[in-house]
Amino acid sequence: MVKTSIKNQEAKLKSLNQKIKAEKSKIDQRLGKQIISQAGLDYTNLTRETIKELAKEAADLLRTHQKPQQK
């Protein structure tokens, strides 16, 4: 009885983790698409190295403009 309950909870947890992973992926794709669109970038010129450099620049910019967290 207890084993069945645990297995059911594990199955629910696994399903929830898959849903979370899928939602994160959707957000990543939307964010990337919006950045590319808003910046007017050409997909044909985006190499892996260019993408990494742009991501680092965007992250640095966001960090410098981020409001300090209130405690």
Side-chain angles (χ1 to χ4, degrees), residues 2-42:
V2 174
K3 286 185 179 182
T4 303
S5 177
I6 291 173
K7 289 204 180 279
N8 286 340
Q9 289 177 347
E10 287 176 338
K12 287 179 184 178
L13 182 59
K14 185 176 181 179
S15 174
L16 184 58
N17 282 334
Q18 289 174 340
K19 287 178 183 179
I20 290 170
K21 190 181 277 189
E23 192 61 30
K24 283 182 179 181
S25 179
K26 286 180 191 177
I27 292 169
D28 289 347
Q29 290 173 0
R30 287 184 202 135
L31 178 61
K33 185 175 181 178
Q34 283 299 314
I35 290 171
I36 290 167
S37 174
Q38 294 293 321
L41 299 174
D42 183 3

